[in-house]
């Protein structure tokens, strides 16, 4: 259960909290694991992965972190904050349109001193353009004498997976302390690093908790096969005594609502429900969409009345301020603004 790797150990345990008003509203016992409260750069799930990745970068003598994502990447923002804290340069690379203003995470990235490279999509496959961009920008900084450490999308590689293995161990202990044995744990599935760590961690310690993922972007048979390969890769790398079995993958694919990060009225309603009942902010790309999925699962009877549900709040709040979402929220919320 402990692996031969170094990590920074800078994150505190995050709270596991009961949500009384949402529980009442949905007729379930609803808890949030507050990984939105991890301590750097406005928080979020990527910091658990970055504890391992940034330590590895330091161990290798890196002077700079380069990572990739969409222009609005939460992972990039958390990487930029870690780079700031550990005195490294940082660049985020995206094949994406400039939204016409420095919004949301982009503004925060710049405050952390991080450089942003946005390359306009030119019709070729995104991965081809991205690989070119990575090669060009890395070469530029290496020529300036930087030692670059590359972190993949979402920090979701073999080493990064240990971040959510740790979370699984922490959560299992908290759940026992709160009498939540057998509860269902729900996480948002994007680049799958969070699901990977939780799956392996919960299985390795023979936890009573059941893991359900909710996909927030299209997830095909091929993605499932890739996930299975990745789980096996992580398990073999660290010698975990776990059987990876596709039969116990439990990932809901039906709540994608059109595609990655697309504005959706149901998601805005779910974000509004959590905010107005519990004073907690979710985001329109990941956690709000997964929470909208939870609401539907309760309505459809997939989650039973009275069931104990722990949702991992993975952060992402700055996403509320991206233009596409903000404009829609504004239309719906202006009726309570009284300009006198
Ligand atoms: C990245 C992210 C996720 C998804 O985590 P993965 O490990 O990429 O699957 C969920 N929620 C938020 C807010 C994120 O930024």
């Amino acid at each position: 259960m402990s692996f031969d790797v170094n990590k920074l150990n800078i994150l505190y345990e995050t709270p596991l909290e009961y949500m009384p008003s949402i529980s009442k509203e949905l007729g379930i016992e609803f808890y949030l694991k507050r990984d939105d409260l991890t301590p750097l750069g406005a928080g979020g799930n990527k910091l658990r992965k970055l504890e391992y990745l940034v330590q590895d970068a330091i161990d290798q003598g890196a002077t700079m972190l380069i990572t990739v994502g969409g222009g609005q990447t939460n992972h990039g923002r958390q990487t930029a904050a870690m780079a700031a804290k550990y005195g490294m340069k940082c660049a985020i690379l995206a094949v994406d349109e400039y939204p016409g203003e420095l919004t949301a995470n982009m503004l925060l990235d710049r405050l952390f001193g991080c450089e942003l490279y946005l390359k306009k999509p030119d019709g070729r496959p995104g991965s081809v353009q991205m690989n070119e961009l990575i090669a060009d920008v890395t070469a530029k900084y290496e020529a300036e004498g930087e030692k670059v450490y590359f972190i993949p999308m979402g920090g979701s590689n073999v080493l990064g997976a240990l971040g959510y293995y740790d979370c699984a161990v922490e959560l299992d202990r908290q759940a026992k302390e709160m009498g939540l044995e057998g509860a269902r744990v729900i996480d948002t599935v994007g680049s799958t690093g969070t699901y990977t760590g939780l799956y392996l961690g919960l299985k390795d310690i023979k936890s009573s908790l059941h893991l359900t993922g909710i996909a927030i972007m299209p997830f095909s048979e091929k993605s499932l096969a890739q996930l299975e390969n990745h789980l096996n890769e992580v398990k073999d790398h660290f010698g975990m005594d776990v059987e990876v079995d596709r039969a116990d993958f439990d990932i809901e694919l039906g709540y994608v609502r059109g595609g990655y990060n697309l504005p959706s009225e149901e998601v805005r309603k779910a974000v509004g429900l959590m905010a107005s009942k519990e004073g907690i902010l979710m985001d329109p790309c990941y956690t709000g969409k997964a929470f909208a999925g939870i609401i539907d699962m309760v309505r459809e009877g997939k989650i039973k009345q009275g069931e104990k549900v722990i949702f991992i709040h993975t952060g992402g709040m700055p996403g509320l301020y991206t233009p596409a979402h903000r404009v829609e929220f504004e239309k719906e919320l202006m009726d309570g603004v009284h300009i006198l």
Side-chain angles (χ1 to χ4, degrees), residues 4-52:
D4 188 20
V5 276
N6 296 326
K7 75 163 180 170
L8 287 164
N9 272 318
I10 56 161
L11 304 191
Y12 309 108
E13 186 172 302
T14 62
L16 175 59
E17 293 175 346
Y18 180 57
M19 298 290 126
S21 301
I22 294 292
S23 295
K24 193 160 169 232
E25 185 79 20
L26 299 182
I28 61 176
E29 243 186 73
F30 189 74
Y31 298 79
L32 283 181
K33 173 69 172 156
R34 299 296 306 276
D35 273 19
D36 57 319
L37 299 181
T38 51
L40 282 187
N45 63 335
K46 304 309 184 302
L47 289 173
R48 286 190 188 264
K49 311 175 189 191
L50 288 163
E51 270 196 311
Y52 285 95

Side-chain angles (χ1 to χ4, degrees), residues 74-96:
N74 294 312
H75 160 70
R77 181 219 334 134
Q78 291 162 78
T79 304
M82 287 288 258
K85 183 165 172 75
Y86 291 95
M88 287 188 262
K89 279 198 174 169
C90 189
I92 298 170
L93 320 185
V95 175
D96 214 343

Side-chain angles (χ1 to χ4, degrees), residues 11 42 56 75 152 162 166 265 339:
L11 304 191
D56 191 39
H75 160 70
L162 291 184
D166 293 350
E265 193 183 346
I339 299 164

Side-chain angles (χ1 to χ4, degrees), residues 43-46 49 72-75 77-78 105 153-156 164 187-196 216-217 260 283 285-287 312-317:
N45 63 335
K46 304 309 184 302
K49 311 175 189 191
Q72 168 52 30
T73 167
N74 294 312
H75 160 70
R77 181 219 334 134
Q78 291 162 78
N105 283 326
M153 176 98 72
S156 293
Y164 271 85
D187 89 313
T188 312
V189 180
S191 68
T192 73
T194 304
Y195 188 86
T196 295
I216 52 79
M217 56 198 195
Y260 179 72
D283 79 292
C285 177
Y286 293 97
T287 52
I312 316 259
H313 188 164
T314 42
M317 187 275 268

Side-chain angles (χ1 to χ4, degrees), residues 119 131-141:
K119 182 116 177 173
N131 287 338
E132 271 177 23
L133 182 60
I134 294 167
D136 291 350
V137 176
T138 303
K140 168 183 140 85
Y141 285 106

